[in-house]
Amino acid sequence: MDFVKEFSTFLFENKIIQFGDFTLASGKKSSYYVDLRLVPSYPHDFRRMVKHLQNEITNDVGLDNFDSLVSVPTGGLVIASALAIETVKPLIYVRSKPKEYGTSKSVEGKVQEGMKVVMVDDVATTGGSVLNGIKSLKESNINIEDAYVIVNRMEGADEALKEQGVTLHSLLNVLEITKALHEQNLIGDEILQKVQQQTAIE
Amino acid sequence: MDFVKEFSTFLFENKIIQFGDFTLASGKKSSYYVDLRLVPSYPHDFRRMVKHLQNEITNDVGLDNFDSLVSVPTGGLVIASALAIETVKPLIYVRSKPKEYGTSKSVEGKVQEGMKVVMVDDVATTGGSVLNGIKSLKESNINIEDAYVIVNRMEGADEALKEQGVTLHSLLNVLEITKALHEQNLIGDEILQKVQQQTAIE
C-alpha cells in the first residue's frame, strides 16, 4: 500500500500523470495522460519501481520458474532491461513491426521452442501492443502465462489477455493512483469521477 | 586487453558477429554482420559488458561530471537502461523520429537547458543514428561531449562526431575483434584482410 501512495504522488508531482482533456494515439478521448518514459529521469524512483516489480515477479511467478524476460519497445524495454540486469535474467524483445533489413525477425534475442517467458511493458490500456507481442511469441512457440505492466489503465487489457491465457499483473492501476491522490486532496472529486467513469468499474 | 579477447570470443561463438557477405540497411555491402540485440539473452555476458562500460565512463568522464545518460532506441536503450540503474544516473532518450501523437517531442525524459549528457548506443558505423541524436539534443540546448558505443565499425563515425565536437569512445572496434579471433585461429587470413580493407585503416 505504501508503494501505491508514494509512487502515485511521485507520478503526480512530476507531471508523469496529468489530468485534463487528452486525445490518445487511438483517437480516443481520455481524462488523464500518463507517460512513464519520464520515470528513468528520476533514478531513485526508477530504481524503487524496478525493485518493486522484481519483488512482485519473485512472489507471483518465482525468478527460477521462467527462462527469459520479454519486452515490447520502447517504453517497456527500458524497464525490462533494468530488471534483467538486476535479476541476471535473459532478456528478449518483440518488435511491433519486423525490421525490413538485416536478419529480419519479430523476436530479437536467443529463442528456443518451448521456452517460458514473462512479459514486461510500461502501460496497458486495451492491451493492444502486449497482445501483438504475445502473438509473435506464440508464432515462435514460446510460452507466456504472465505479463507485467507498471500502470494498468483498465480499459479491457485484463480480459483481452485472459482470452490468450495470459494473466495481466500491474504494480498500479489508474483508479488506485487517482484514489491515492484524491485522499491526499491533490485532485478534486470531479477528476476522480471522470476517471471512475472512464475505467467503467462496476 | 582481456575484455577484448573474451568478449570477442563470446560474440563469435554465439554468432553475434558473423563473417560472410551481408547487405546493410544502407544498401552497403559488408564482410561481417554484428547484432548486439542478442547480448541481453546472455545475462552474465550482458552484465560484464555493462560493468565494463561503467568503468570506462567512470575513468574517462567521471560519473559525477555529467547530468544524465542519453540513449538512441532500441539497440542503445537496452544497454543504457541497464547502465542507468547500475550507476543510479538519470536516463533520457532521443527518438529517431518524433512520435506523431500525445505530447510530441524528440527527446524523452526530463530535460533542462545546459544540462550535460553522455550518449550510449550499441554500434557505430558512419555515425548516422548517433548524429541524429546529437542534433536533437543540440536543438534542446543540451551539451554532449562524449558518446559511447560497444562496437565501432570504423566507417567514419569518429570523424563525423568529431566535427560536432563529440568524442566517440568504444569498448571494441571491429578490427580488434577480428584480430583477437584471428590470433586464436577462429577465423582465417582472408576474413581478416577483408575486414581490414573495409575499415580502410592506414
Side-chain angles (χ1 to χ4, degrees):
Chain A
M1 271 304 133
D2 259 358
F3 175 79
V4 171
K5 185 176 169 184
E6 280 176 29
F7 202 73
S8 299
T9 309
F10 157 74
L11 294 177
F12 182 74
E13 285 177 347
N14 293 291
K15 298 185 178 172
I16 296 169
I17 190 164
Q18 297 178 53
F19 299 92
D21 295 315
F22 295 95
T23 306
L24 303 180
S26 59
K28 226 171 140 180
K29 301 284 178 188
S30 175
S31 57
Y32 68 96
Y33 181 79
V34 58
D35 181 5
L36 292 181
R37 291 176 174 85
L38 273 165
V39 179
S41 289
Y42 303 88
H44 295 284
D45 301 282
F46 179 52
R47 194 174 176 82
R48 189 174 306 137
M49 181 185 89
V50 170
K51 295 310 277 185
H52 192 73
L53 179 59
Q54 178 179 342
N55 288 340
E56 294 288 305
I57 296 177
T58 303
N59 291 336
D60 300 338
V61 182
L63 286 181
D64 292 333
N65 294 331
F66 65 97
D67 299 304
S68 183
L69 293 164
V70 60
S71 168
V72 188
T74 55
L77 189 57
V78 68
I79 301 164
S81 176
L83 181 65
I85 199 154
E86 288 290 309
T87 56
V88 200
K89 290 296 288 187
L91 170 65
I92 61 175
Y93 51 101
V94 278
R95 295 181 165 275
S96 40
K97 292 176 194 168
K99 60 176 178 173
E100 282 151 21
Y101 56 90
T103 54
S104 194
K105 56 199 170 195
S106 60
V107 183
E108 293 278 0
K110 194 185 171 194
V111 168
Q112 285 174 309
E113 286 209 8
M115 73 190 289
K116 190 176 167 190
V117 297
V118 169
M119 184 175 278
V120 172
D121 202 0
D122 53 354
V123 173
T125 308
T126 57
S129 67
V130 173
L131 282 174
N132 282 340
I134 290 170
K135 201 176 149 193
S136 295
L137 293 170
K138 289 191 171 176
E139 282 167 6
S140 301
N141 289 315
I142 295 170
N143 294 325
I144 173 164
E145 294 173 13
D146 297 279
Y148 284 79
V149 293
I150 306 302
V151 176
N152 185 351
R153 295 179 58 118
M154 304 171 77
E155 297 186 32
D158 294 85
E159 297 75 8
L161 266 69
K162 204 174 180 181
E163 277 180 23
Q164 298 295 321
V166 176
T167 304
L168 179 64
H169 308 262
S170 60
L171 299 197
L172 302 151
N173 68 50
V174 68
L175 207 56
E176 288 172 333
I177 296 171
T178 312
K179 281 180 180 168
L181 298 174
H182 185 258
E183 278 168 17
Q184 297 175 79
N185 294 317
L186 293 170
I187 55 171
D189 296 344
E190 197 189 344
I191 289 176
L192 177 60
Q193 284 161 14
K194 276 191 180 173
V195 174
Q196 281 173 327
Q197 281 164 14
Q198 190 173 331
T199 54
I201 289 300
E202 63 269 49
Chain B
M1 272 301 132
D2 259 357
F3 175 80
V4 171
K5 185 176 169 184
E6 281 176 29
F7 202 73
S8 299
T9 310
F10 157 73
L11 293 177
F12 181 75
E13 285 177 347
N14 294 289
K15 297 186 179 172
I16 296 169
I17 188 164
Q18 297 178 50
F19 299 92
D21 295 315
F22 296 95
T23 306
L24 303 179
S26 60
K28 226 173 140 181
K29 301 283 177 188
S30 176
S31 58
Y32 67 96
Y33 181 80
V34 57
D35 181 6
L36 292 181
R37 290 175 174 86
L38 273 164
V39 178
S41 291
Y42 302 87
H44 295 285
D45 301 282
F46 180 53
R47 194 176 176 81
R48 189 174 307 138
M49 182 184 88
V50 169
K51 296 310 276 184
H52 192 74
L53 179 59
Q54 178 179 341
N55 289 340
E56 294 288 305
I57 296 177
T58 303
N59 292 335
D60 300 339
V61 182
L63 287 181
D64 294 332
N65 295 331
F66 65 97
D67 299 304
S68 182
L69 294 165
V70 59
S71 170
V72 189
T74 55
L77 189 56
V78 69
I79 300 163
S81 176
L83 181 65
I85 199 155
E86 288 289 309
T87 57
V88 199
K89 290 296 288 186
L91 170 64
I92 60 175
Y93 51 102
V94 278
R95 297 183 163 274
S96 40
K97 290 176 193 168
K99 59 176 179 173
E100 284 151 19
Y101 55 90
T103 55
S104 193
K105 56 199 169 195
S106 60
V107 183
E108 294 277 359
K110 193 185 171 194
V111 169
Q112 285 174 311
E113 287 209 7
M115 73 191 289
K116 191 176 166 190
V117 298
V118 169
M119 185 175 277
V120 172
D121 202 1
D122 54 354
V123 173
T125 308
T126 58
S129 67
V130 173
L131 282 173
N132 282 340
I134 290 170
K135 202 177 148 190
S136 295
L137 293 170
K138 289 192 171 176
E139 282 168 5
S140 300
N141 290 315
I142 296 170
N143 294 324
I144 172 163
E145 293 173 14
D146 298 278
Y148 283 78
V149 294
I150 306 302
V151 176
N152 185 350
R153 296 180 57 120
M154 305 171 76
E155 297 186 33
D158 293 86
E159 297 76 8
L161 265 69
K162 204 173 180 183
E163 278 181 23
Q164 298 295 321
V166 177
T167 305
L168 179 63
H169 308 261
S170 60
L171 299 197
L172 302 153
N173 69 50
V174 67
L175 207 56
E176 288 172 333
I177 296 171
T178 312
K179 281 180 180 169
L181 297 174
H182 184 259
E183 277 167 17
Q184 297 175 82
N185 294 316
L186 293 170
I187 55 170
D189 297 343
E190 197 189 345
I191 289 176
L192 177 60
Q193 284 161 14
K194 277 191 180 173
V195 174
Q196 280 173 326
Q197 283 164 15
Q198 190 173 332
T199 54
I201 290 297
E202 63 270 47

PDB file of all heavy atoms in Angstrom, chain B residues 143-162:
ATOM      1  N   ASN B 143      24.106  19.815 -23.723  1.00  0.00           N
ATOM      2  CA  ASN B 143      25.525  19.667 -24.061  1.00  0.00           C
ATOM      3  C   ASN B 143      25.935  18.205 -24.114  1.00  0.00           C
ATOM      4  O   ASN B 143      25.631  17.439 -23.199  1.00  0.00           O
ATOM      5  CB  ASN B 143      26.401  20.367 -23.008  1.00  0.00           C
ATOM      6  CG  ASN B 143      26.200  21.858 -23.016  1.00  0.00           C
ATOM      7  OD1 ASN B 143      26.001  22.453 -24.071  1.00  0.00           O
ATOM      8  ND2 ASN B 143      26.242  22.470 -21.838  1.00  0.00           N
ATOM      9  N   ILE B 144      26.631  17.853 -25.152  1.00  0.00           N
ATOM     10  CA  ILE B 144      27.173  16.499 -25.258  1.00  0.00           C
ATOM     11  C   ILE B 144      28.594  16.569 -25.804  1.00  0.00           C
ATOM     12  O   ILE B 144      28.839  17.215 -26.820  1.00  0.00           O
ATOM     13  CB  ILE B 144      26.268  15.583 -26.117  1.00  0.00           C
ATOM     14  CG1 ILE B 144      26.980  14.236 -26.372  1.00  0.00           C
ATOM     15  CG2 ILE B 144      25.819  16.237 -27.419  1.00  0.00           C
ATOM     16  CD1 ILE B 144      26.072  13.140 -26.831  1.00  0.00           C
ATOM     17  N   GLU B 145      29.505  15.938 -25.074  1.00  0.00           N
ATOM     18  CA  GLU B 145      30.914  15.909 -25.499  1.00  0.00           C
ATOM     19  C   GLU B 145      31.422  14.489 -25.720  1.00  0.00           C
ATOM     20  O   GLU B 145      32.473  14.291 -26.327  1.00  0.00           O
ATOM     21  CB  GLU B 145      31.792  16.592 -24.427  1.00  0.00           C
ATOM     22  CG  GLU B 145      31.543  18.091 -24.296  1.00  0.00           C
ATOM     23  CD  GLU B 145      32.296  18.701 -23.119  1.00  0.00           C
ATOM     24  OE1 GLU B 145      33.215  18.038 -22.569  1.00  0.00           O
ATOM     25  OE2 GLU B 145      31.960  19.842 -22.745  1.00  0.00           O
ATOM     26  N   ASP B 146      30.690  13.516 -25.137  1.00  0.00           N
ATOM     27  CA  ASP B 146      31.160  12.132 -25.210  1.00  0.00           C
ATOM     28  C   ASP B 146      30.027  11.177 -25.581  1.00  0.00           C
ATOM     29  O   ASP B 146      28.930  11.264 -25.030  1.00  0.00           O
ATOM     30  CB  ASP B 146      31.739  11.703 -23.854  1.00  0.00           C
ATOM     31  CG  ASP B 146      32.949  12.530 -23.458  1.00  0.00           C
ATOM     32  OD1 ASP B 146      34.038  12.224 -23.941  1.00  0.00           O
ATOM     33  OD2 ASP B 146      32.763  13.513 -22.687  1.00  0.00           O
ATOM     34  N   ALA B 147      30.328  10.285 -26.521  1.00  0.00           N
ATOM     35  CA  ALA B 147      29.385   9.232 -26.892  1.00  0.00           C
ATOM     36  C   ALA B 147      30.112   7.896 -26.800  1.00  0.00           C
ATOM     37  O   ALA B 147      31.281   7.793 -27.174  1.00  0.00           O
ATOM     38  CB  ALA B 147      28.860   9.454 -28.304  1.00  0.00           C
ATOM     39  N   TYR B 148      29.395   6.889 -26.279  1.00  0.00           N
ATOM     40  CA  TYR B 148      29.967   5.552 -26.129  1.00  0.00           C
ATOM     41  C   TYR B 148      29.184   4.554 -26.953  1.00  0.00           C
ATOM     42  O   TYR B 148      27.954   4.559 -26.936  1.00  0.00           O
ATOM     43  CB  TYR B 148      29.926   5.114 -24.654  1.00  0.00           C
ATOM     44  CG  TYR B 148      30.992   5.770 -23.819  1.00  0.00           C
ATOM     45  CD1 TYR B 148      30.847   7.086 -23.385  1.00  0.00           C
ATOM     46  CD2 TYR B 148      32.169   5.094 -23.491  1.00  0.00           C
ATOM     47  CE1 TYR B 148      31.841   7.706 -22.648  1.00  0.00           C
ATOM     48  CE2 TYR B 148      33.163   5.709 -22.753  1.00  0.00           C
ATOM     49  CZ  TYR B 148      33.001   7.006 -22.330  1.00  0.00           C
ATOM     50  OH  TYR B 148      33.985   7.626 -21.605  1.00  0.00           O
ATOM     51  N   VAL B 149      29.911   3.711 -27.656  1.00  0.00           N
ATOM     52  CA  VAL B 149      29.272   2.571 -28.303  1.00  0.00           C
ATOM     53  C   VAL B 149      30.010   1.311 -27.858  1.00  0.00           C
ATOM     54  O   VAL B 149      31.154   1.379 -27.407  1.00  0.00           O
ATOM     55  CB  VAL B 149      29.289   2.665 -29.853  1.00  0.00           C
ATOM     56  CG1 VAL B 149      28.431   3.827 -30.329  1.00  0.00           C
ATOM     57  CG2 VAL B 149      30.709   2.772 -30.391  1.00  0.00           C
ATOM     58  N   ILE B 150      29.342   0.187 -27.979  1.00  0.00           N
ATOM     59  CA  ILE B 150      30.007  -1.080 -27.650  1.00  0.00           C
ATOM     60  C   ILE B 150      30.971  -1.430 -28.784  1.00  0.00           C
ATOM     61  O   ILE B 150      32.137  -1.696 -28.538  1.00  0.00           O
ATOM     62  CB  ILE B 150      28.970  -2.218 -27.431  1.00  0.00           C
ATOM     63  CG1 ILE B 150      27.926  -1.810 -26.369  1.00  0.00           C
ATOM     64  CG2 ILE B 150      29.684  -3.515 -27.056  1.00  0.00           C
ATOM     65  CD1 ILE B 150      28.480  -1.448 -25.012  1.00  0.00           C
ATOM     66  N   VAL B 151      30.478  -1.413 -30.018  1.00  0.00           N
ATOM     67  CA  VAL B 151      31.317  -1.771 -31.171  1.00  0.00           C
ATOM     68  C   VAL B 151      31.381  -0.610 -32.171  1.00  0.00           C
ATOM     69  O   VAL B 151      30.357  -0.124 -32.640  1.00  0.00           O
ATOM     70  CB  VAL B 151      30.777  -3.034 -31.883  1.00  0.00           C
ATOM     71  CG1 VAL B 151      31.611  -3.336 -33.137  1.00  0.00           C
ATOM     72  CG2 VAL B 151      30.795  -4.242 -30.951  1.00  0.00           C
ATOM     73  N   ASN B 152      32.588  -0.203 -32.463  1.00  0.00           N
ATOM     74  CA  ASN B 152      32.839   0.791 -33.510  1.00  0.00           C
ATOM     75  C   ASN B 152      33.201   0.045 -34.799  1.00  0.00           C
ATOM     76  O   ASN B 152      34.208  -0.658 -34.853  1.00  0.00           O
ATOM     77  CB  ASN B 152      33.979   1.718 -33.082  1.00  0.00           C
ATOM     78  CG  ASN B 152      34.211   2.855 -34.060  1.00  0.00           C
ATOM     79  OD1 ASN B 152      33.654   2.874 -35.159  1.00  0.00           O
ATOM     80  ND2 ASN B 152      35.040   3.809 -33.666  1.00  0.00           N
ATOM     81  N   ARG B 153      32.372   0.202 -35.816  1.00  0.00           N
ATOM     82  CA  ARG B 153      32.619  -0.473 -37.091  1.00  0.00           C
ATOM     83  C   ARG B 153      33.650   0.283 -37.927  1.00  0.00           C
ATOM     84  O   ARG B 153      34.028  -0.180 -39.007  1.00  0.00           O
ATOM     85  CB  ARG B 153      31.313  -0.626 -37.879  1.00  0.00           C
ATOM     86  CG  ARG B 153      30.297  -1.528 -37.186  1.00  0.00           C
ATOM     87  CD  ARG B 153      29.009  -1.637 -38.008  1.00  0.00           C
ATOM     88  NE  ARG B 153      29.290  -2.122 -39.339  1.00  0.00           N
ATOM     89  CZ  ARG B 153      28.792  -3.236 -39.879  1.00  0.00           C
ATOM     90  NH1 ARG B 153      27.960  -3.975 -39.181  1.00  0.00           N
ATOM     91  NH2 ARG B 153      29.104  -3.586 -41.092  1.00  0.00           N
ATOM     92  N   MET B 154      34.056   1.455 -37.461  1.00  0.00           N
ATOM     93  CA  MET B 154      35.157   2.199 -38.084  1.00  0.00           C
ATOM     94  C   MET B 154      34.911   2.555 -39.535  1.00  0.00           C
ATOM     95  O   MET B 154      35.768   2.327 -40.391  1.00  0.00           O
ATOM     96  CB  MET B 154      36.467   1.402 -37.972  1.00  0.00           C
ATOM     97  CG  MET B 154      36.808   1.020 -36.542  1.00  0.00           C
ATOM     98  SD  MET B 154      38.189  -0.114 -36.463  1.00  0.00           S
ATOM     99  CE  MET B 154      39.552   0.989 -36.788  1.00  0.00           C
ATOM    100  N   GLU B 155      33.752   3.111 -39.807  1.00  0.00           N
ATOM    101  CA  GLU B 155      33.495   3.550 -41.176  1.00  0.00           C
ATOM    102  C   GLU B 155      33.097   5.021 -41.195  1.00  0.00           C
ATOM    103  O   GLU B 155      32.178   5.419 -41.909  1.00  0.00           O
ATOM    104  CB  GLU B 155      32.449   2.644 -41.835  1.00  0.00           C
ATOM    105  CG  GLU B 155      32.961   1.208 -41.949  1.00  0.00           C
ATOM    106  CD  GLU B 155      32.032   0.271 -42.718  1.00  0.00           C
ATOM    107  OE1 GLU B 155      31.362   0.717 -43.663  1.00  0.00           O
ATOM    108  OE2 GLU B 155      31.992  -0.916 -42.363  1.00  0.00           O
ATOM    109  N   GLY B 156      33.775   5.809 -40.387  1.00  0.00           N
ATOM    110  CA  GLY B 156      33.592   7.255 -40.471  1.00  0.00           C
ATOM    111  C   GLY B 156      32.953   7.920 -39.265  1.00  0.00           C
ATOM    112  O   GLY B 156      32.884   9.154 -39.206  1.00  0.00           O
ATOM    113  N   ALA B 157      32.477   7.112 -38.302  1.00  0.00           N
ATOM    114  CA  ALA B 157      31.762   7.700 -37.167  1.00  0.00           C
ATOM    115  C   ALA B 157      32.652   8.613 -36.324  1.00  0.00           C
ATOM    116  O   ALA B 157      32.228   9.701 -35.916  1.00  0.00           O
ATOM    117  CB  ALA B 157      31.155   6.601 -36.291  1.00  0.00           C
ATOM    118  N   ASP B 158      33.903   8.195 -36.079  1.00  0.00           N
ATOM    119  CA  ASP B 158      34.820   9.012 -35.255  1.00  0.00           C
ATOM    120  C   ASP B 158      34.923  10.429 -35.803  1.00  0.00           C
ATOM    121  O   ASP B 158      34.768  11.409 -35.071  1.00  0.00           O
ATOM    122  CB  ASP B 158      36.236   8.399 -35.259  1.00  0.00           C
ATOM    123  CG  ASP B 158      36.292   7.066 -34.562  1.00  0.00           C
ATOM    124  OD1 ASP B 158      36.011   6.058 -35.236  1.00  0.00           O
ATOM    125  OD2 ASP B 158      36.590   7.040 -33.363  1.00  0.00           O
ATOM    126  N   GLU B 159      35.172  10.503 -37.131  1.00  0.00           N
ATOM    127  CA  GLU B 159      35.380  11.799 -37.770  1.00  0.00           C
ATOM    128  C   GLU B 159      34.089  12.626 -37.775  1.00  0.00           C
ATOM    129  O   GLU B 159      34.116  13.833 -37.508  1.00  0.00           O
ATOM    130  CB  GLU B 159      35.875  11.594 -39.218  1.00  0.00           C
ATOM    131  CG  GLU B 159      37.235  10.897 -39.336  1.00  0.00           C
ATOM    132  CD  GLU B 159      37.194   9.381 -39.098  1.00  0.00           C
ATOM    133  OE1 GLU B 159      36.088   8.805 -38.979  1.00  0.00           O
ATOM    134  OE2 GLU B 159      38.285   8.767 -39.005  1.00  0.00           O
ATOM    135  N   ALA B 160      32.963  11.941 -38.072  1.00  0.00           N
ATOM    136  CA  ALA B 160      31.688  12.663 -38.159  1.00  0.00           C
ATOM    137  C   ALA B 160      31.312  13.265 -36.802  1.00  0.00           C
ATOM    138  O   ALA B 160      30.830  14.396 -36.724  1.00  0.00           O
ATOM    139  CB  ALA B 160      30.587  11.717 -38.645  1.00  0.00           C
ATOM    140  N   LEU B 161      31.581  12.517 -35.722  1.00  0.00           N
ATOM    141  CA  LEU B 161      31.248  13.032 -34.393  1.00  0.00           C
ATOM    142  C   LEU B 161      32.214  14.138 -33.983  1.00  0.00           C
ATOM    143  O   LEU B 161      31.814  15.105 -33.334  1.00  0.00           O
ATOM    144  CB  LEU B 161      31.252  11.905 -33.345  1.00  0.00           C
ATOM    145  CG  LEU B 161      29.867  11.285 -33.084  1.00  0.00           C
ATOM    146  CD1 LEU B 161      29.395  10.490 -34.286  1.00  0.00           C
ATOM    147  CD2 LEU B 161      29.888  10.431 -31.833  1.00  0.00           C
ATOM    148  N   LYS B 162      33.481  13.960 -34.349  1.00  0.00           N
ATOM    149  CA  LYS B 162      34.489  14.967 -34.010  1.00  0.00           C
ATOM    150  C   LYS B 162      34.099  16.327 -34.584  1.00  0.00           C
ATOM    151  O   LYS B 162      34.290  17.364 -33.938  1.00  0.00           O
ATOM    152  CB  LYS B 162      35.856  14.522 -34.565  1.00  0.00           C
ATOM    153  CG  LYS B 162      37.032  15.131 -33.823  1.00  0.00           C
ATOM    154  CD  LYS B 162      38.351  14.531 -34.290  1.00  0.00           C
ATOM    155  CE  LYS B 162      39.528  15.166 -33.538  1.00  0.00           C
ATOM    156  NZ  LYS B 162      40.817  14.637 -34.026  1.00  0.00           N
TER     157      LYS B 162
END
